[in-house]
Amino acid sequence: MQLEKGRLSIACVCMVLGFMLVIQFKSTEDIRASQPSQRVEELAARLHQAEAENKELEEENRVLKGMSGDAKSEKLADDILMISGMTPLEGPGVIITIDDSAKKAKMENDPNLYLVHDEDILKVVNELRAAGAEALSINGQRLTANSEIRCAGPTISVNNVRSAPPFEIRAIGDKDNLVNSINMRGGVADSLKVWGISLTIQPMDNVWIPAYKATAKYKLATTSKKEEETK
């Protein structure tokens, strides 16, 4: 009798374990199936955004062609100042705050994994740019084509100015696109949360971004009237 009860118990345990394994396998397959679909939707949204931006550029080019010489020069001068980062800007966007993890590092893990590094900031900035950010700053430092983001000991250097966490990243652009680029499944926010690194994103109707404070210097490069060289 006891032997039969033991066999019955073992059989019940095996059935429960088998059921749990089937549920876990099914959940894993569902997650795997949903990720490619979501990625396709994200890429389609970015393609749609790029097409809309292309139409805007075509319209802007048409308007420029219809302007007088003085008006066209003034418009181009304003555009150059905005693109180069030499003037402060404001508009809708997001403010992102990133800080070191408050978790206690496990003995088997590298404690540096719980700290914010330059590559983490770069990932956030790249996602924002891909989502159409028109202007960016990090802890009050405007990002331009010549800006660097690199580790400098326990700090991060931007435009050769060091700052420590928390890091505040400001971006001007479509609020929904910027938020979605950071919060997409498997994206930069998810990867940072694994180590407890804090990332908060706040959509704003008006974000102010300072001008580039340093002086751009070109010692070797000069302007050229030649078209792109072809082989």
Side-chain angles (χ1 to χ4, degrees), residues 12-25:
C12 290
V13 170
C14 290
M15 289 176 63
V16 171
L17 288 175
F19 179 74
M20 292 174 65
L21 287 173
V22 169
I23 294 298
Q24 184 178 5
F25 177 78

Side-chain angles (χ1 to χ4, degrees), residues 143-173:
L143 293 187
T144 70
N146 294 328
S147 295
E148 92 290 347
I149 302 173
R150 58 185 175 83
C151 275
T155 64
I156 290 179
S157 174
V158 180
N159 296 336
N160 287 320
V161 176
R162 296 186 180 188
S163 59
F167 299 101
E168 183 186 81
I169 301 174
R170 296 188 170 208
I172 293 176

